[in-house]
């Protein structure tokens, strides 16, 4: 394993100071080892920046910036499984769906081809901390600080389910790669797992919910309401599974599901002896508590990202656990990390992203920098196989692979695009001079409100 930490300001504030990197995610397409990824910052510029890094490079190259989609801090960015869309979420309840080509090269050549990515908006009532795509790419799960998790239909851009089961901020969401459940983690120290039956999106019934909050121990008896008798044994206080908001000093609890969908890995956990780390839960046996505890290498764990590639010759489930200033790659079948890197940054880690072929792990930090962990063949297993690409969902088949150039009235533009040619000089009368044979500019017609006529009173007759 090789680690690189280039001193590049990925998002800048006024005065040239580096802004916090709140989220990072890699495109599902890897061509000749080149990894394309997106970063978002928390300083209020509202930009989503696209970068690429080649196998032999130690630092990435800036490709383009998607601007004017957000009006404030951007907290998260996630590519859809089809690679055609990028979801970014931030403060003030704004969620942007950037649409373009399915190949990673399309997003790298935006500035050169003078093209733009189309932007659709989904509006929350409050700040959004995390998003997750469904395996088919049609549904998007978002979690906000008002305690609401919303499932959106990305074809119609309408909410399908609104889940209001948390009492505090939702700091992380995930979707099962098999499409059978979704999960949310909150600062109220609970995990909610929702089962997805067939045709769940067309049903008005509430989803079956399982809440995970406590360590399961047969010696710990839950407290009973009412008066206690002398014969009843004294109940020991139950141990909370997740750390409190004070002990977990982070905006995020970004959980994930394993590559095979059998486990849920949740950060922000605390063991009974107050050790900090992450827990793995079996989705079929949630009532039995955690399957294993993954100790955090440094402080409270803030984010978990499962390796998307299937590892042959061992366990198929690898997960990267980000802590305060260290990242560890665990095999979920054991408590010992396969790879560990510490002392990388001056501030807490915020997010991580895997390349589709597991050759690269990108780690983001609140100090404004990224670290790149490059794995050689055999470091993580005998062989890594990238997951198959997902086709576009029904309803998005008409998506153009090369969107038109931005117009003057568009509210979404691309930073770095060649400006439009200057307008023709004006005539002495003030009207612009148009060349012969050119089409006339269409005028915008303003609607006029029509009201029923006011009846006119006839003059009163004078007495004879």
């Amino acid at each position: 394993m090789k680690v690189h930490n280039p001193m590049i300001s990925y998002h800048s504030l006024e005065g040239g100071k580096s802004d916090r990197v709140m989220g990072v995610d890699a495109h599902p397409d890897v061509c000749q080892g080149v990894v394309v990824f997106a970063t978002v910052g928390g300083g209020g510029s509202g930009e989503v920046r696209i970068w690429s890094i080649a196998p032999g490079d130690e630092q990435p190259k800036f490709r383009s910036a998607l601007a004017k989609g957000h009006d404030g801090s951007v907290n998260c960015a996630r590519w859809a499984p089809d690679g055609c869309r990028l979801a970014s979420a931030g403060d003030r309840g704004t969620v942007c769906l950037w649409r373009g080509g399915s190949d990673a090269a399309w997003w790298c050549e935006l500035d050169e081809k003078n093209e733009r990515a189309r932007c659709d908006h989904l509006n929350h009532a409050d700040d959004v901390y995390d998003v997750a795509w469904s395996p088919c790419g049609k549904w998007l799960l978002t979690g906000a600080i008002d305690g609401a998790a919303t499932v959106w239909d990305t074809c119609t851009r309408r909410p399908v389910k609104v889940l209001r089961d948390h009492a505090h901020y939702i700091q992380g969401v995930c979707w099962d790669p098999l499409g059978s459940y979704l999960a949310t983690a909150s600062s109220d120290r609970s995990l909610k797992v929702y089962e997805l039956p067939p045709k769940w999106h067309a049903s008005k019934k509430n989803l079956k919910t399982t809440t995970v909050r406590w360590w399961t121990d047969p010696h710990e008896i839950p407290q009973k309401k009412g008066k206690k008798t002398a014969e009843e044994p004294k109940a020991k206080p139950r141990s909370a599974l997740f750390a409190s908001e004070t002990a977990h000093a982070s905006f995020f609890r970004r959980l994930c599901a394993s590559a095979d969908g059998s486990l849920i890995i949740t950060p922000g956990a605390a063991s009974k002896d107050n050790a900090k780390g992450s827990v793995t839960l079996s989705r079929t046996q949630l009532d039995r508590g955690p399957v294993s505890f993954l100790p955090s290498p440094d402080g409270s764990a803030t984010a978990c990202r499962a390796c998307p590639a299937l590892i042959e010759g061992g366990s198929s489930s690898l997960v990267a656990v980000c802590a305060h200033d260290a990242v560890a790659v665990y095999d979920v079948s054991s408590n010992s990390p396969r790879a560990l890197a510490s002392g990388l940054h001056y501030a807490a880690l915020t997010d991580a992203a895997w390349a589709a072929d597991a050759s690269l792990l990108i780690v983001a930090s609140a100090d404004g920098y990224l670290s790149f962990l490059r794995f050689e063949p055999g470091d993580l297993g005998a062989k890594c196989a990238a997951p198959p690409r997902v086709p576009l969902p029904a309803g998005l088949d008409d998506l153009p692979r090369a969107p038109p150039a931005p117009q003057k009235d568009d509210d979404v533009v691309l930073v770095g695009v060649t400006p439009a040619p200057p307008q023709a000089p004006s005539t002495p009368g003030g009207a612009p001079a148009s060349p012969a044979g050119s089409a006339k500019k269409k005028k915008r017609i303003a609607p006029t409100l029509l009201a029923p006529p006011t009846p006119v009173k006839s003059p009163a007759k004078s007495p004879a």
Side-chain angles (χ1 to χ4, degrees), residues 222-368:
Q223 299 285 349
K224 295 182 180 179
K225 296 182 179 180
K227 296 182 179 180
K228 297 182 180 179
T229 62
E231 299 178 356
E232 293 183 0
K234 292 184 179 180
K236 296 181 180 180
R238 290 189 292 180
S239 302
L241 183 59
F242 300 104
S244 63
E245 187 179 5
T246 304
H248 183 78
S250 175
F251 291 111
F252 311 113
R253 299 175 192 249
R254 286 173 167 162
L255 67 162
C256 68
S258 59
D260 56 2
S262 62
L263 298 174
I264 304 174
I265 304 97
T266 308
S271 64
K272 295 182 181 181
D273 54 357
N274 294 327
K276 298 179 180 179
S278 305
V279 291
T280 61
L281 300 162
S282 174
R283 65 185 184 93
T284 59
Q285 298 177 346
L286 294 173
D287 55 340
R288 296 189 178 184
V291 176
S292 63
F293 180 79
L294 307 179
S296 175
D298 182 17
S300 181
T302 58
C304 297
R305 292 300 298 270
C307 178
L310 301 178
I311 309 300
E312 298 180 2
S315 174
S316 61
S317 299
L318 297 176
V319 60
V321 177
C322 296
H324 179 74
D325 189 24
V327 57
V329 178
Y330 279 96
D331 184 340
V332 294
S333 61
S334 63
N335 294 340
S336 59
R338 288 196 177 187
L340 175 64
S342 60
L344 302 176
H345 295 273
Y346 295 102
L349 304 184
T350 56
D351 201 2
W354 286 91
D357 57 358
S359 61
L360 183 70
L361 176 63
I362 309 171
V363 181
S365 173
D367 63 3

Side-chain angles (χ1 to χ4, degrees), residues 73-116:
S73 174
V74 189
N75 302 321
C76 183
R78 294 290 184 265
W79 294 96
D82 51 48
C84 297
R85 292 161 296 160
L86 174 65
S88 58
D91 291 354
R92 303 178 185 177
T94 303
V95 180
C96 295
L97 297 179
W98 306 91
R99 299 169 59 178
S102 60
D103 297 333
W106 187 93
W107 297 87
C108 292
E109 300 173 356
L110 287 175
D111 292 353
E112 299 175 1
K113 294 184 177 181
N114 195 17
E115 295 178 347
R116 71 181 181 95

Side-chain angles (χ1 to χ4, degrees), residues 22-322:
M22 305 296 283
V24 61
D25 197 45
H27 193 277
D29 180 26
V30 178
C31 181
Q32 297 180 355
V34 178
V35 179
V36 177
F37 61 94
T39 60
V40 293
S45 63
E47 288 186 352
V48 181
R49 296 191 173 184
I50 310 298
W51 309 77
S52 69
I53 184 169
D57 296 342
E58 295 185 0
Q59 60 183 20
K61 296 180 180 179
F62 173 73
R63 292 299 185 174
S64 60
L66 308 177
K68 294 191 176 181
H70 293 273
D71 186 15
S73 174
V74 189
N75 302 321
C76 183
R78 294 290 184 265
W79 294 96
D82 51 48
C84 297
R85 292 161 296 160
L86 174 65
S88 58
D91 291 354
R92 303 178 185 177
T94 303
V95 180
C96 295
L97 297 179
W98 306 91
R99 299 169 59 178
S102 60
D103 297 333
W106 187 93
W107 297 87
C108 292
E109 300 173 356
L110 287 175
D111 292 353
E112 299 175 1
K113 294 184 177 181
N114 195 17
E115 295 178 347
R116 71 181 181 95
R118 175 181 172 181
C119 181
D120 299 325
H121 285 88
L122 310 175
N123 294 320
H124 257 277
D126 219 325
D127 301 350
V128 181
Y129 274 179
D130 203 9
V131 300
W133 288 91
S134 65
C136 65
K138 183 177 182 180
W139 318 104
L140 182 70
L141 174 63
T142 57
I145 65 173
D146 59 355
T150 307
V151 181
W152 301 85
D153 185 342
T154 58
C155 297
T156 62
R157 302 196 301 276
R158 295 182 180 274
V160 177
K161 295 285 184 182
V162 180
L163 312 173
R164 302 183 181 274
D165 298 315
H166 284 289
H168 215 259
Y169 301 163
I170 294 181
Q171 298 178 308
V173 297
C174 80
W175 204 302
D176 167 33
L178 303 179
S180 58
Y181 68 87
L182 49 89
T184 58
S186 171
S187 56
D188 63 5
R189 308 176 73 176
S190 69
L191 170 71
K192 305 285 185 180
V193 181
Y194 301 89
E195 295 185 13
L196 299 177
K199 299 182 179 180
W200 58 269
H201 51 85
S203 175
K204 296 183 179 181
K205 296 181 179 180
N206 295 331
L207 299 178
K208 183 180 178 181
T209 308
T210 303
T211 303
V212 181
R213 189 187 297 270
W214 311 101
W215 284 92
T216 302
D217 192 334
H219 299 289
E220 296 178 354
I221 305 176
Q223 299 285 349
K224 295 182 180 179
K225 296 182 179 180
K227 296 182 179 180
K228 297 182 180 179
T229 62
E231 299 178 356
E232 293 183 0
K234 292 184 179 180
K236 296 181 180 180
R238 290 189 292 180
S239 302
L241 183 59
F242 300 104
S244 63
E245 187 179 5
T246 304
H248 183 78
S250 175
F251 291 111
F252 311 113
R253 299 175 192 249
R254 286 173 167 162
L255 67 162
C256 68
S258 59
D260 56 2
S262 62
L263 298 174
I264 304 174
I265 304 97
T266 308
S271 64
K272 295 182 181 181
D273 54 357
N274 294 327
K276 298 179 180 179
S278 305
V279 291
T280 61
L281 300 162
S282 174
R283 65 185 184 93
T284 59
Q285 298 177 346
L286 294 173
D287 55 340
R288 296 189 178 184
V291 176
S292 63
F293 180 79
L294 307 179
S296 175
D298 182 17
S300 181
T302 58
C304 297
R305 292 300 298 270
C307 178
L310 301 178
I311 309 300
E312 298 180 2
S315 174
S316 61
S317 299
L318 297 176
V319 60
V321 177
C322 296

